[in-house]
Amino acid sequence: MNKISWWRTSFGDAEIERVVQSMRNRKISQGSVTKEFEKNLSDFLEVKHVIAVSNGSSAILIALMAVGIQPGDEVIIPNRTWIATAHAVHLLGAKVILVDTEEDRPIIDASLIEEKISSKTKAIIPVHMNGRSCDMSKIKEIANKNNLFVIEDAAQAIASRNSYGYLGTQSDVGCFSLSVAKTISTGQGGFAVTDNDVLASKIRAIRTQGVENVKEPKEWPMPGFNFRFSDIYASIGIEQLKKLPERIKYLRNIYEVYDRNLKDSVFKIIPVDLNSGEIPVYIEYLVDNREVWIEKLFDNGIETRTFYPAINAASYLVKTKERYINSELYSKNGIYLPSGPDQSLSSIRKTIKTIKKIVL
């Protein structure tokens, strides 16, 4: 039996040829091809500065360093996010402050943020999970009122929009991922974006041990590390970015097919607002008896994935016994159905047909 994987993406001849070309021209480390990729991303996202880095996790860490997060500071994040968001805060010695999600969407509930602000709060990280827009207008209003930085975690939101423009471009710094299970990928990699010249300079320096001119450093002005990108990654990224418009259309189509055909099933879709410009990377549902469904679907040749635990499950990060009712529900019942820009419609139809015929 040919199994349907939970995620499918593709890298074609164009990517291979571009990598070969770069290698033949000895464009291996971070150099001119990376700059070309950064320029292409800048043009697409309509943002002044794009700084490519080793991965999306590094982008968040560097952004926090650039805005001056230090031990003892507090950073507000949603309880529903990939653990990297919290780890970036933790590794800098700052304290993770959690906020629950909205009731019907797994993104930070902006109405709960202000009650978590203290004299130690320095930043808010809204996370645009699966291309969904957080309430950036409200979040920026709160940040301005309390003199806080805003860093968008847009790892799952490249090309998603709201009425103000592209997600990830509406704050001090936006952070993106280019790992395999994303709309476009370079295998690993990520990037940070900003319209702030000072922050851009700091991020570039932090990327290369604290100096922008790594070849001839005159001094050591700030701490940094090796968070560099590579021209090999960039070669893949240049060709992947060309495919983005078509992939956006296809991901929207996948979402609509699932939504239309599973409306009356026990699977309840976690909504993405296509009409406002949000682009779903993954197909996300809530379902009771999730583990039983995963087993039954696997027996029928269909791979799925559970949602990862909420951040308050990490005892080394969170010491409070506070409950986060909404985000904990997603952790308990959330499931990813077969997704991805190279997932065939026949595989999606088989998944839908199988769900409809299974009786628990």
Side-chain angles (χ1 to χ4, degrees):
M1 179 190 300
N2 291 326
K3 290 194 176 294
I4 298 172
S5 61
W6 86 274
W7 175 262
R8 286 193 64 85
T9 192
S10 63
F11 301 89
D13 290 340
E15 288 90 339
I16 294 169
E17 290 169 7
R18 181 62 74 112
V19 168
V20 170
Q21 177 185 329
S22 292
M23 294 186 71
R24 284 178 174 158
N25 292 328
R26 300 187 179 184
K27 305 290 186 181
I28 308 296
S29 187
Q30 180 181 292
S32 60
V33 185
T34 297
K35 288 183 178 179
E36 181 184 351
F37 183 44
E38 289 173 334
K39 175 63 165 58
N40 293 352
L41 286 167
S42 176
D43 290 344
F44 177 83
L45 292 171
E46 301 169 359
V47 67
K48 190 173 182 181
H49 301 283
V50 171
I51 303 99
V53 296
S54 51
N55 49 60
S57 303
S58 297
I60 299 170
L61 182 66
I62 294 170
L64 289 168
M65 293 172 69
V67 302
I69 299 302
Q70 297 180 355
D73 290 341
E74 293 180 354
V75 178
I76 293 172
I77 71 171
N79 194 40
R80 176 102 212 114
T81 181
W82 176 235
I83 194 69
T85 315
H87 280 167
V89 176
H90 181 67
L91 289 173
L92 292 178
K95 184 178 180 181
V96 171
I97 303 296
L98 298 177
V99 171
D100 204 1
T101 64
E102 296 178 359
E103 185 175 356
D104 61 344
R105 282 159 56 94
I107 52 177
I108 193 167
D109 187 337
S111 70
L112 302 177
I113 290 176
E114 282 201 273
E115 65 188 55
K116 295 299 185 79
I117 294 174
S118 76
S119 60
K120 296 181 180 180
T121 308
K122 295 297 188 296
I124 305 168
I125 306 181
V127 184
H128 302 299
M129 294 293 287
N130 199 23
R132 300 180 183 92
S133 175
C134 301
D135 188 346
M136 291 306 298
S137 177
K138 179 66 173 177
I139 291 168
K140 289 198 292 183
E141 177 187 328
I142 293 169
N144 290 336
K145 177 182 174 182
N146 293 277
N147 195 29
L148 306 176
F149 289 101
V150 178
I151 297 170
E152 290 170 89
D153 183 339
Q156 300 179 2
I158 190 167
S160 276
R161 302 177 64 101
N162 60 21
S163 59
Y164 302 102
Y166 285 109
L167 304 186
T169 69
Q170 300 170 31
S171 58
D172 295 291
V173 185
C175 302
F176 294 81
S177 172
L178 293 166
S179 63
V180 170
K182 298 295 186 294
T183 305
I184 63 170
S185 172
T186 57
Q188 281 294 335
F191 58 96
V193 308
T194 183
D195 284 318
N196 186 304
D197 294 344
V198 174
L199 287 177
S201 180
K202 287 182 179 180
I203 292 169
R204 289 192 185 96
I206 293 167
R207 174 176 65 175
T208 52
Q209 306 293 352
V211 291
E212 282 198 67
N213 182 2
V214 70
K215 293 181 179 179
E216 297 177 326
K218 305 300 183 188
E219 58 179 345
W220 305 115
M222 69 178 78
F225 207 64
N226 183 357
F227 297 113
R228 287 158 64 84
F229 203 60
S230 81
D231 281 0
I232 299 301
Y233 285 173
S235 301
I236 299 170
I238 287 169
E239 297 304 322
Q240 286 272 298
L241 189 56
K242 294 175 183 177
K243 299 176 178 179
L244 184 53
E246 196 60 37
R247 287 186 172 184
I248 290 168
K249 294 178 185 177
Y250 191 63
L251 292 173
R252 289 171 61 93
N253 186 35
I254 289 174
Y255 177 91
E256 290 171 336
V257 170
Y258 272 112
D259 188 32
R260 185 168 59 249
N261 287 279
L262 289 178
K263 272 192 181 300
D264 299 323
S265 75
V266 295
F267 279 69
K268 304 304 177 187
I269 200 164
I270 306 174
V272 174
D273 190 349
L274 300 183
N275 292 330
S276 72
E278 296 177 355
I279 307 299
V281 187
Y282 316 112
I283 299 301
E284 299 176 328
Y285 277 86
L286 292 174
V287 66
D288 293 331
N289 302 310
R290 180 180 63 185
E291 273 63 34
V292 177
W293 276 102
I294 288 172
E295 183 179 345
K296 292 285 188 181
L297 287 168
F298 186 80
D299 289 344
N300 281 272
I302 299 167
E303 182 185 40
T304 59
R305 277 200 178 183
T306 63
F307 277 21
Y308 31 82
I311 302 301
N312 67 315
S315 59
Y316 58 91
L317 290 174
V318 183
K319 306 302 181 184
T320 178
K321 296 297 184 180
E322 181 178 351
R323 296 298 306 277
Y324 302 87
I325 302 301
N326 295 335
S327 47
E328 289 173 7
L329 175 64
Y330 292 114
S331 300
K332 178 183 177 182
N333 293 338
I335 185 172
Y336 298 102
L337 296 183
S339 313
D342 199 42
Q343 193 74 251
S344 70
L345 286 176
S346 61
S347 292
I348 291 163
R349 292 190 184 103
K350 179 183 176 182
T351 300
I352 292 166
K353 183 178 179 181
T354 303
I355 287 172
K356 287 182 173 182
K357 78 175 184 182
I358 291 175
V359 178
L360 297 188

